[in-house]
Amino acid sequence: MATFLYKLGRLAFRRRHFVALIWVALLTLAGVGAASAPPAGNSSFSIPGTEAQKAFDLLEQRFPGASADGATARVVFKAPSGEKMTDAGNKATVEKTVDELADGSEVASVADPYTGNAVSKDGTIAYASVKYDVSGMELEESTKDALEDAAQQARDSGLTVEIGGDALQAVPETGATEVIGIAVAAVVLVITFGSLVAAGLPLLTALIGVGIGVSSITALASALELGSTTSILAMMIGLAVGIDYALFIVSRYRAELAEGREREEAAGRAVGTAGSAVVFAGLTVVIALVGLAVVNIPMLTKMGIAAAGTVAIAVLIALTMIPALLGYAGRRVKPAGAKGKRLGRFRKDDPKPDQPAGQPKANLGTRWASFVVRQPLAVLLLGVIGLGAAAVPAASLELGLPDDGSQPTSTTQRRAYDLLSEGFGPGFNGPLMVVVDAKGSDAPKDAFDDVAGEIKGLDGVVAVTPPAPNKGGDTATITVVPDSKPSSVQTEDLVHAIRDAGGDIEAKTGAETLVTGSTAMNIDVSEKLNDALVPYLVLVVGLAFLLLIVVFRSILVPLKAALGFLLSVMAALGAVVAVFQWGWLSGLMGVEETGPVMSMMPIFMVGVVFGLAMDYEVFLVTRMREAYVHGEKPNQAVVTGFKHGARVVTAAAVIMMAVFAGFIGSSESMVKMIGFGLAIAVFFDAFVVRMAIVPAVLALLGKKAWWLPKWLDRALPNVDVEGEGLRTAAERGTGPDEDRELVRT
């Protein structure tokens, strides 16, 4: 591995014009494809194997032309204080608004509140339901403008008017904080390298990689039904790993220059050593993201594969374009430590004027590692107890999917949600749709009535509409309004109660009862994700564990890495619960409404955080193993690893945290939660697990940390991540190619 990457790095350095041209051409091609691609439609949110999805598919089959996936809008009216919606003037305003809405070219139907029993009992609130022929993401801007204009005209007449539903659904915005995150990354790089040129290389390559990845996703969005969140996730992860991977190679390049090597040789060795760590770190991230496919939720699978593709691009760019750009930069990228001497300052590693030569002062990483190996047990206990305390809120985790009730109070969707709750009860915002398939029943109409009567007798039901059969008379829909809000435990219990009652009815009548609708779909998604979490953990952690055994040639080091990850991800989930569910620091994070944690958050955090956690494990521990393989004692190898890697790993973690935190400003609650969760997870994993717990455990284990059974050592391929092949060649005075010829002869 190291020899191949060494040759690749030297080739890219020499043929830099060709390498740069390839990447610029790919960026241009992806950009043209994105610009010419048709706009993305609505991403299909199908959940194979769930009852809600089965009912939805049945509706499309038995009720053709009903536009089951079409956008909907609820225009909610509230009368001024002291008036009612049934007053003549207010009624005339509403009827005029309904007529204007019905004139839209994409409108399938509009239900008049006064003929559809859509006026509250106290007469103060009414709503008009609008059904469209196309999905919310496919609606023309003119249609959305007409909806808002009609509402505004009703407001001008003195009514309070708000619009709910998905008709006004917009592409989520990330806000200015994303730019701030990139700016923080740039500052950290300048401080780390002390050079604008060296700092600019990781930023440039990361932006090119993300540009190719996101443009490709945009170009394929319509054909593959990729949602808008997919590109945001790819951008988030691609920026973070792209900067980090390039940072490690540039840092190693400067260290090789400091040892007196020529620039082409230094580029080759940087790619051969740090590049090997980049390859395996990238593989762990790709495994974790692609592994999301085991959940069998197409939307989640597409998000994972798209993000994994962006990570793969980041790895390839780091291995090829970084050495090419180093060739262009020439002497403008200085050896490690040269900046301080140029500016008349001394490096921390250099002897002071009054300090004897040959006794350089230890840097902060060396001093910290020396402290940890002296007090490993105390550091280990402190780290584990601290993360355990942070993980406590995770025991109260409640899962759900966001609805209009989780929107900021400044949005019209949220205000419409609140008005409907006020006028018709909290359950009105999440009605359940019961589909009765009586094709196998001898008396379909009686079966429909039996189901409706059975549901009316259940606890927690406010209203049940009469069965609405299809033209064939073999299928009917029944709308059930709970007395609790959509995301509550009571509503979940009601869904299960209806399904249990349906089983008894099927045994008596032969009619199958299915529960669907957005609320039931959310419940099924949460249960499916919970059921998939353990198999996903086994698959992803198992594959990565095997990969790390090959990298470190050890059993205990990969085991320690996996256990440390579990600590950090549980602590991160605890922090997410504290902020988004309990409301701690919610104002600082811009969380206007607390509620259940997004149901896909745990499994998604497990996948992404595991991949990122292994980044730091590979980068830091590879340096330690390199020192150990080259003859140092176990504790000294830990200190050496921190001497060379701690500063760069710290910079990489701060950069990744800044990039993720930049997405906290997103208008999309899902993106906001993911950004915060990943940022805090990187903090816990990089600074508590990898910087404290890992060296403490290695110090306690000593030589046992690097133990591997001899039979397994012989069976495993030698990937040479430490660059031992390069070192051997150097000791013989030959290059890797010449050394290989000597071995053959």
Side-chain angles (χ1 to χ4, degrees):
M1 172 70 79
T3 302
F4 170 76
L5 293 178
Y6 165 85
K7 292 163 62 178
L8 179 64
R10 294 193 62 171
L11 179 65
F13 188 95
R14 289 196 306 270
R15 306 295 185 188
R16 46 188 172 272
H17 302 309
F18 181 68
V19 172
L21 182 62
I22 289 177
W23 285 113
V24 171
L26 288 175
L27 178 62
T28 303
L29 184 64
V32 171
S36 59
N42 189 40
S43 57
S44 59
F45 189 76
S46 61
I47 315 295
T50 61
E51 180 174 315
Q53 185 64 45
K54 182 180 178 181
F56 186 81
D57 295 340
L58 185 66
L59 283 174
E60 290 191 327
Q61 178 185 347
R62 304 284 175 85
F63 291 82
S67 300
D69 59 346
T72 59
R74 276 180 174 173
V75 184
V76 188
F77 307 89
K78 183 176 183 180
S81 179
E83 299 182 16
K84 293 184 180 295
M85 290 305 304
T86 51
D87 294 347
N90 294 334
K91 186 175 181 180
T93 300
V94 172
E95 290 176 341
K96 180 182 178 182
T97 303
V98 169
D99 291 339
E100 291 177 356
L101 291 172
D103 290 337
S105 60
E106 295 179 308
V107 175
S109 63
V110 181
D112 189 310
Y114 301 102
T115 60
N117 194 26
V119 180
S120 63
K121 290 182 179 180
D122 62 5
T124 60
I125 296 175
Y127 69 90
S129 295
V130 186
K131 183 74 174 176
Y132 294 92
D133 293 321
V134 296
S135 65
M137 295 300 291
E138 295 172 318
L139 281 177
E140 298 286 344
E141 286 300 321
S142 58
T143 301
K144 296 181 180 181
D145 292 341
L147 176 61
E148 293 177 323
D149 290 344
Q152 186 58 49
Q153 290 179 20
R155 291 190 190 103
D156 295 340
S157 300
L159 297 176
T160 299
V161 185
E162 304 296 346
I163 305 171
D166 61 352
L168 296 182
Q169 182 180 359
V171 176
E173 299 174 356
T174 53
T177 49
E178 177 192 348
V179 179
I180 295 174
I182 297 176
V184 171
V187 171
V188 173
L189 287 169
V190 171
I191 293 174
T192 302
F193 291 136
S195 163
L196 290 174
V197 174
L201 297 184
L203 278 177
L204 176 61
T205 54
L207 290 173
I208 291 174
V210 167
I212 294 173
V214 173
S215 296
S216 300
I217 291 170
T218 304
L220 298 172
S222 178
L224 301 181
E225 295 184 336
L226 302 178
S228 56
T229 309
T230 303
S231 59
I232 294 178
L233 173 66
M235 182 188 302
M236 185 190 303
I237 297 178
L239 271 176
V241 301
I243 294 174
D244 278 7
Y245 294 165
L247 165 66
F248 280 99
I249 292 179
V250 173
S251 176
R252 187 61 183 250
Y253 171 77
R254 296 175 72 240
E256 296 291 338
L257 288 179
E259 294 183 10
R261 292 190 172 88
E262 294 295 326
R263 295 188 178 275
E264 182 179 330
E265 176 69 11
R269 287 181 174 270
V271 175
T273 51
S276 298
V278 165
V279 169
F280 283 99
L283 273 176
T284 59
V285 180
V286 169
I287 288 172
L289 291 171
V290 174
L292 291 170
V294 303
V295 185
N296 196 25
I297 295 180
M299 185 188 74
L300 197 60
T301 300
K302 293 174 184 177
M303 289 172 61
I305 292 176
T310 307
V311 171
I313 292 172
V315 172
L316 292 174
I317 282 188
L319 297 178
T320 57
M321 195 166 186
I322 282 293
L325 292 178
L326 289 172
Y328 282 119
R331 298 185 179 277
R332 287 186 289 274
V333 176
K334 303 294 181 182
K339 65 179 192 304
K341 296 174 182 177
R342 256 191 307 115
L343 298 176
R345 300 192 306 271
F346 288 90
R347 293 176 62 208
K348 292 182 179 180
D349 295 345
D350 293 332
K352 298 286 183 67
D354 57 348
Q355 185 177 343
Q359 298 181 15
K361 181 182 178 181
N363 61 20
L364 182 60
T366 302
R367 296 197 300 273
W368 168 250
S370 299
F371 167 76
V372 173
V373 297
R374 289 197 305 270
Q375 304 290 337
L377 188 59
V379 172
L380 176 62
L381 291 176
L382 187 61
V384 172
I385 292 172
L387 290 178
V392 168
S396 303
L397 178 67
E398 295 178 9
L399 299 177
L401 287 178
D403 55 20
D404 285 347
S406 61
Q407 297 268 12
T409 53
S410 58
T411 63
T412 186
Q413 291 94 330
R414 170 59 190 279
R415 292 196 292 264
Y417 179 97
D418 292 339
L419 285 177
L420 289 172
S421 296
E422 177 187 341
F424 302 91
F428 192 79
N429 283 292
L432 306 174
M433 179 176 286
V434 178
V435 182
V436 185
D437 180 7
K439 200 167 187 178
S441 175
D442 296 332
K445 188 176 184 306
D446 293 339
F448 300 154
D449 293 337
D450 287 346
V451 172
E454 189 76 24
I455 294 174
K456 286 179 181 177
L458 297 175
D459 294 333
V461 175
V462 172
V464 178
T465 64
N470 64 346
K471 291 182 179 179
D474 58 359
T475 308
T477 60
I478 302 172
T479 301
V480 181
V481 179
D483 66 358
S484 52
K485 63 181 183 178
S487 58
S488 66
V489 176
Q490 292 84 352
T491 301
E492 183 177 347
D493 292 340
L494 176 60
V495 170
H496 291 302
I498 295 174
R499 288 172 173 170
D500 292 340
D504 297 335
I505 293 173
E506 184 177 6
K508 292 186 296 184
T509 67
E512 184 179 11
T513 301
L514 305 170
V515 185
T516 188
S518 60
T519 302
M521 185 73 80
N522 291 351
I523 292 170
D524 288 350
V525 169
S526 297
E527 292 178 352
K528 191 176 182 69
L529 288 166
N530 285 338
D531 293 341
L533 184 58
V534 173
Y536 176 70
L537 265 175
V538 171
L539 173 68
V540 172
V541 176
L543 287 176
F545 180 78
L546 295 176
L547 185 66
L548 292 179
I549 289 178
V550 175
V551 174
F552 296 125
R553 309 196 77 78
S554 163
I555 298 293
L556 296 180
V557 170
L559 180 62
K560 171 262 307 170
L563 294 176
F565 149 74
L566 291 176
L567 276 174
S568 59
V569 79
M570 289 304 297
L573 275 176
V576 169
V577 170
V579 173
F580 290 89
Q581 187 175 309
W582 292 359
W584 293 5
L585 301 177
S586 58
L588 181 63
M589 298 297 166
V591 181
E592 296 189 26
E593 186 69 23
T594 59
V597 173
M598 184 181 61
S599 56
M600 62 179 65
M601 190 68 185
I603 199 165
F604 187 79
M605 278 191 64
V606 164
V608 177
V609 174
F610 182 79
L612 300 179
M614 294 306 102
D615 279 4
Y616 302 114
E617 180 75 15
V618 170
F619 289 134
L620 193 59
V621 180
T622 296
R623 271 289 197 169
M624 298 177 189
R625 174 161 176 79
E626 185 176 340
Y628 178 76
V629 168
H630 293 164
E632 293 188 7
K633 294 182 178 179
N635 281 8
Q636 184 56 42
V638 172
V639 175
T640 300
F642 268 78
K643 175 184 177 182
H644 294 293
R647 184 183 184 191
V648 180
V649 169
T650 300
V654 171
I655 288 169
M656 197 171 280
M657 288 168 56
V659 172
F660 288 148
F663 289 85
I664 296 176
S666 172
S667 60
E668 175 71 34
S669 59
M670 174 178 170
V671 176
K672 181 190 293 286
M673 192 179 294
I674 290 175
F676 171 80
L678 295 184
I680 197 69
V682 168
F683 172 78
F684 287 144
D685 196 85
F687 294 106
V688 180
V689 174
R690 309 303 154 189
M691 291 289 187
I693 293 178
V694 165
V697 171
L698 290 177
L700 289 171
L701 291 175
K703 290 185 178 180
K704 295 178 182 178
W706 308 107
W707 171 79
L708 185 70
K710 291 183 178 180
W711 64 268
L712 184 57
D713 186 39
R714 290 191 299 268
L716 291 177
N718 183 14
V719 295
D720 190 21
V721 176
E722 303 83 15
E724 184 65 19
L726 302 181
R727 180 186 176 96
T728 302
E731 290 173 348
R732 291 177 176 172
T734 64
D737 294 336
E738 292 84 352
D739 185 67
R740 182 175 296 175
E741 291 299 324
L742 288 174
V743 171
R744 288 175 181 172
T745 56

